[in-house]
Amino acid sequence: METPDRSRPYLERAYLDHAASAPLYPEVVSVMQEALLELHANPTGMHSSARAAKTALEEARERIATLLGCLPHEVVFTGGGTESDNLAVKGVMRGVLGDAIARGDLSGVVVSVIEHRAMIAPAARLASEGARVAFAPVTSEGIIDLDRLSALLDEQTAFVSVMAVNNEIGTRQPLGEVLSLVRERSPRAALHTDAVQAPMWMDPKEFMLCDLVTVTGHKVGGPRGIGVLVVRDGVKLVAEIEGGGQERGVRAGTPDVAAAVALALALEITVARRDETATRVRALRDRLISGVIASVPDVVLVGSDSARVDGFAPFALAGIESESLLVLLDRAGVDAAAGSSCASGATEPSHVLTALGVDPKFIGGALRCSLGWSTTADEVDHMIKVLPEAVNRLRALRVERPAAEVTL
Amino acid sequence: MLPYLRDHYADPGRLHAEGLTTRVALEVAREQVAGLLGVRPREIVFTSGGTEAANTGVFGAVARAVDQSPERATHIVASAIEHSCVGDSIESVVAQRGGASSIVGCDAEGLIDPQEIASAIRPETALVALQLANHEVGSVQPVHEAVRAIRAAAKECGATPLILCDAASGVGHIPVDLAALDVDLAIISAHKFGGPKGAGAMFVRRGLRIPPLMLGGAQERARRAGLEDVAAMVGFGVAAQQVATNLENESAANFAQTDLIEKYCNGIEGVTRVGPLDPARRLPHVLCITINDVEAEPVLLALDARGIAVHSGSACSSEVLEPSPVLLAMGAEADRSLRVSVGWSTTLADAAAFGPALEAVLRDLRQLRR
């Protein structure tokens, strides 16, 4: 068998896993390479080399603030989306829980049930530290149920998190309505949104209305290992990583200057080309969906047709296991996913699909295809070509067994 | 790093071939870092840097102790000259979770006494933090002796503390064998020895499990959530391999450079070299001097104008120039220190230029005063 050339993978294979990690824009690679070489000094020094690094870092911060529409000092650089989410919920709640008077009065945390695990796991830990944690349900289309959210919010709620776009099914959430509800029912609460999947498909204004916003580099054509937590003025936050006082005392550690510079450029490109990319990707995505529906029986599209952002095609197939399908697709030259990348390794059904109440017949066969700036028609067509055969093979292998008889 | 920024961007947690490519690269990097430290690859947890590793280690050690005996207040022992990423984590974990800490001083050369640190152990001690080498004055601590003394003292009073060693300043500059040191947790940082910023690691001794700080994903064998920064870790691994193969030459070259600087500085009026005199007890690449009559800030700026980049105090605490806690603990002049640090890109000519430049700068600044 011929070994595929791995040096330029996205020209050789169909890479339909943008929501897990998008390729870097070539311009970003060049800028980052230059920054790695030139901006090597620790930006906290007083000498010229340090000042050059510091200037580049602060310019990156200003450019990101301009793009997002906030003040530069509201942009906190972190080690990525997971860290930003952890910092948001723990940072707000540790401040409250550490204060005996506030604690009794303001201990509520409400997060949507379809949040990324980077929000669900720290919220669950806070529950063991004395916070009252509630998970807000979603509709069968994967959109937050505003009435039931409202019922969970009260005067004692300190922190609310609803993601801008879900990472498994691509549904955008009605953040404006969520914000109004939170302000009305829980006037002292900070509203956070995990917007890592959003900048490619939405105007930043649509998610920047929240008090805290998570953005990450590797979903927007930038590098990994860098993220942002926007902390709007007035939000009190306790640091999660300490010892150095960087990032205004909210996030210690030597700043990753090259990655910050690369993130600023990646966000600029993403925002500048958004309309063009979204239009092109939407056409490709729709072609993928109609191609798959036409050639594969017993497949459904999960989530909401009206609220789904352009890069997502979240399928669920009856009668197969995601993991086996991904292996066959991989051998046929397609990189796709089951659900959240961070859940890989675990084989239990996705908490998102479970929350939507997806038919058990389909739930084990989740297939998330996610498209982005580098996706081509060839990649989509390749997927449409190889998927039916992979699905048929797996379904043919599956022996329909009657339920085992149990004798006691 | 470039191929992993440009071409291989897949999530290493994925089943597909591209995921496998990045997974292999990540695991090779882990082996390279483990090789430099004399430990097993599975004992290395990659983080976003030394500071995150330090916070994770301190938090995890205390959380473990609380899980084991929730009714007991925890106690932490640390040296007074730890980097702020360790010192501040300890302060904050004590503030958040209750308990107490004992801070053990050092001698005038910046060296800790193994017996003194061991005598601070109590039955409820959950963590002992002891750096491998100091980031400001370059003192290399007697960690081996200290660990033995700590283990003996712990055994005597029935304590089961974890020993955390911040090795960030030493790794890449002196030979480090973490397995032989017999510590439980250690911290290293890539950008101290030619690797990229945004890459660090926590060593967790085999068999030890501490609760993670970063939650929400099973990466790093459920010890640190968050998508792995493969490109940065590849850079980290290559830097580790480079220094591992070239450590002896590198260290000899750095000693020659710092010796040259030291000799010249000894002849400059009002300049005192601080830190251990015994070369076996100091880092090859770090030299700290204090100036008895001129503030550090104008000296740094004047040296910078002459094309020389040096530092005052430790980098992380110097957005504002505060008195160095390390020099305070040593009983040295804490407001007027310069840290000169060299490395792979420094030449002997760079080192030779430093002394005369400092002498000229001090002469100018003193004249201004008259």
Side-chain angles (χ1 to χ4, degrees):
Chain A
M1 203 183 86
E2 207 184 335
T3 315
D5 175 15
R6 295 254 175 274
S7 60
R8 298 163 79 198
Y10 60 82
L11 299 179
E12 317 287 331
R13 298 173 63 88
Y15 186 78
L16 300 177
D17 204 7
H18 270 249
S21 212
L24 275 82
Y25 297 116
E27 302 92 312
V28 173
V29 175
S30 316
V31 161
M32 185 158 177
Q33 182 180 17
E34 197 184 314
L36 282 168
L37 291 169
E38 301 299 324
L39 302 170
H40 55 80
N42 191 321
T44 47
M46 288 192 72
H47 47 70
S48 305
S49 306
R51 289 202 305 272
K54 177 80 176 164
T55 304
L57 180 71
E58 294 313 319
E59 277 174 8
R61 196 189 309 279
E62 280 175 31
R63 286 160 64 193
I64 292 169
T66 305
L67 284 166
L68 296 180
C70 63
L71 297 168
H73 69 257
E74 294 175 324
V75 173
V76 173
F77 287 118
T78 68
T82 296
E83 189 190 319
S84 291
D85 279 2
N86 271 259
L87 174 59
V89 61
K90 293 185 206 160
V92 168
M93 292 312 295
R94 293 255 158 86
V96 174
L97 298 175
D99 178 342
I101 300 162
R103 186 186 182 117
D105 190 31
L106 202 61
S107 63
V109 173
V110 180
V111 305
S112 95
V113 71
I114 57 165
E115 290 303 299
H116 191 280
R117 294 203 308 169
M119 177 54 66
I120 292 196
R125 180 186 277 175
L126 286 163
S128 72
E129 291 176 19
R132 274 187 307 122
V133 180
F135 295 97
V138 293
T139 66
S140 60
E141 294 206 319
I143 297 167
I144 186 132
D145 184 329
L146 291 169
D147 290 338
R148 295 173 74 184
L149 172 66
S150 176
L152 292 171
L153 297 171
D154 57 35
E155 288 276 335
Q156 280 78 46
T157 307
F159 182 87
V160 181
S161 185
V162 176
M163 68 201 323
V165 173
N166 179 266
N167 56 309
E168 290 190 36
I169 56 172
T171 45
R172 78 171 73 202
Q173 303 297 324
L175 289 178
E177 286 159 273
V178 170
L179 179 71
S180 310
L181 267 185
V182 169
R183 292 289 186 259
E184 183 197 319
R185 306 264 311 154
S186 309
R188 291 180 295 169
L191 175 62
H192 167 261
T193 190
D194 177 340
V196 301
Q197 302 286 354
M200 296 74 80
W201 321 113
M202 288 161 73
D203 189 315
K205 284 193 191 85
E206 294 178 66
F207 52 83
M208 286 297 292
L209 39 83
C210 299
D211 304 308
L212 295 147
V213 181
T214 293
V215 176
T216 195
H218 71 103
K219 313 280 193 199
V220 297
R224 294 158 191 202
I226 183 100
V228 159
L229 180 66
V230 174
V231 184
R232 303 312 289 258
D233 277 345
V235 178
K236 271 192 224 150
L237 211 62
V238 174
E240 160 109 318
I241 296 179
E242 296 184 84
Q246 292 95 343
E247 300 294 313
R248 295 193 303 130
V250 176
R251 201 277 185 179
T254 302
D256 189 348
V257 181
V261 169
L263 171 59
L265 179 60
L267 264 180
E268 278 170 356
I269 295 174
T270 298
V271 170
R273 299 182 193 161
R274 188 180 61 241
D275 289 344
E276 184 200 324
T277 307
T279 309
R280 202 178 57 78
V281 168
R282 189 185 316 129
L284 291 174
R285 192 269 317 261
D286 291 348
R287 174 170 167 160
L288 175 66
I289 291 176
S290 45
V292 168
I293 303 269
S295 58
V296 178
D298 260 344
V299 58
V300 292
L301 208 52
V302 185
S304 153
D305 289 338
S306 57
R308 187 180 301 118
V309 298
D310 299 317
F312 280 78
F315 300 107
L317 297 113
I320 55 161
E321 296 288 333
S322 299
E323 207 164 318
S324 318
L325 179 61
L326 292 178
V327 171
L328 285 192
L329 285 175
D330 177 40
R331 277 165 54 183
V334 175
D335 299 325
S340 158
S341 43
C342 299
S344 55
T347 44
E348 70 262 28
S350 141
H351 72 280
V352 174
L353 301 195
T354 308
L356 264 65
V358 171
D359 185 336
K361 193 170 103 171
F362 291 99
I363 210 161
L367 174 67
R368 179 186 75 178
C369 298
S370 52
L371 294 67
W373 72 266
S374 69
T375 310
T376 63
D378 286 349
E379 288 181 293
V380 167
D381 291 344
H382 184 58
M383 175 62 155
I384 296 171
K385 197 177 98 196
V386 302
L387 182 65
E389 196 203 319
V391 171
N392 289 341
R393 247 181 92 181
L394 289 174
R395 284 183 178 156
L397 284 174
R398 208 177 159 97
V399 185
E400 290 302 332
R401 264 186 299 246
E405 282 176 40
V406 181
T407 43
L408 289 173
Chain B
M1 286 174 69
L2 271 179
Y4 293 91
L5 289 172
R6 198 175 45 214
D7 300 324
H8 304 297
Y9 41 78
D11 178 346
R14 285 290 192 227
L15 292 166
H16 51 59
E18 275 307 304
L20 193 64
T21 304
T22 50
R23 164 61 56 195
V24 168
L26 187 69
E27 296 313 319
V28 168
R30 199 185 306 281
E31 281 182 26
Q32 289 166 325
V33 171
L36 176 65
L37 304 172
V39 301
R40 295 178 180 83
R42 287 165 69 90
E43 294 174 312
I44 295 297
V45 178
F46 284 133
T47 67
S48 72
T51 301
E52 185 193 326
N55 278 256
T56 306
V58 170
F59 168 86
V62 171
R64 171 181 172 269
V66 172
D67 286 350
Q68 283 176 350
S69 33
E71 68 294 336
R72 197 146 83 169
T74 54
H75 175 244
I76 300 174
V77 177
S79 89
I81 56 174
E82 294 299 309
H83 188 279
S84 57
C85 68
V86 173
D88 289 4
S89 305
I90 290 175
E91 220 171 88
S92 125
V93 86
V94 166
Q96 273 175 24
R97 301 216 160 211
S101 60
S102 303
I103 305 301
V104 178
C106 64
D107 68 12
E109 291 196 337
L111 293 164
I112 62 102
D113 174 2
Q115 288 311 322
E116 198 182 340
I117 206 153
S119 66
I121 308 286
R122 302 181 197 164
E124 69 274 21
T125 304
L127 171 69
V128 182
L130 176 59
Q131 63 185 194
L132 178 73
N134 186 265
H135 48 290
E136 284 188 50
V137 300
S139 45
V140 176
Q141 306 299 342
V143 175
H144 198 68
E145 293 82 341
V147 169
R148 262 183 302 178
I150 290 162
R151 300 260 186 243
K155 199 171 172 189
E156 205 155 294
C157 68
T160 52
L162 296 181
I163 302 177
L164 179 147
C165 179
D166 171 7
S169 297
V171 167
H173 302 284
I174 53 172
V176 176
D177 184 341
L178 288 178
L181 283 181
D182 188 29
V183 296
D184 301 300
L185 299 162
I187 297 153
I188 71 168
S189 170
H191 75 100
K192 304 293 186 193
F193 58 88
K197 297 181 184 62
M202 176 174 66
F203 158 79
V204 182
R205 182 175 47 76
R206 188 185 183 197
L208 173 63
R209 194 102 211 149
I210 58 169
L213 179 69
M214 221 53 79
L215 300 173
Q219 292 93 346
E220 297 296 300
R221 298 171 54 238
R223 292 166 192 268
R224 193 269 184 182
L227 181 66
E228 302 90 336
D229 187 353
V230 177
M233 299 314 152
V234 165
F236 188 5
V238 171
Q241 194 177 34
Q242 293 260 346
V243 294
T245 51
N246 202 27
L247 194 60
E248 230 170 282
N249 293 338
E250 191 77 26
S251 140
N254 288 171
F255 263 127
Q257 291 162 358
T258 47
D259 284 347
L260 191 66
I261 294 170
E262 182 183 2
K263 269 198 200 100
Y264 199 99
C265 289
N266 283 339
I268 307 176
E269 187 201 337
V271 171
T272 314
R273 144 98 158 77
V274 291
L277 295 172
D278 176 2
R281 283 272 150 245
R282 82 163 174 92
L283 291 173
H285 68 298
V286 173
L287 189 75
C288 183
I289 57 176
T290 58
I291 303 161
N292 67 5
D293 59 342
V294 183
E295 298 298 320
E297 192 167 339
V299 177
L300 291 178
L301 295 175
L303 283 171
D304 181 50
R306 288 168 180 266
I308 295 176
V310 295
H311 211 64
S312 181
S314 89
C316 296
S317 59
S318 69
E319 282 199 33
V320 281
L321 286 178
E322 285 168 353
S324 150
V326 174
L327 297 175
L328 280 175
M330 291 164 65
E333 168 58 68
D335 288 306
R336 296 174 182 136
S337 70
L338 293 186
R339 179 186 69 183
V340 184
S341 53
V342 297
W344 69 268
S345 67
T346 314
T347 63
L348 203 58
D350 292 338
F354 177 78
L358 177 65
E359 193 172 30
V361 161
L362 290 179
R363 195 190 314 119
D364 292 350
L365 289 170
R366 283 169 182 149
Q367 237 153 31
L368 279 177
R369 243 197 240 169
R370 295 207 177 106

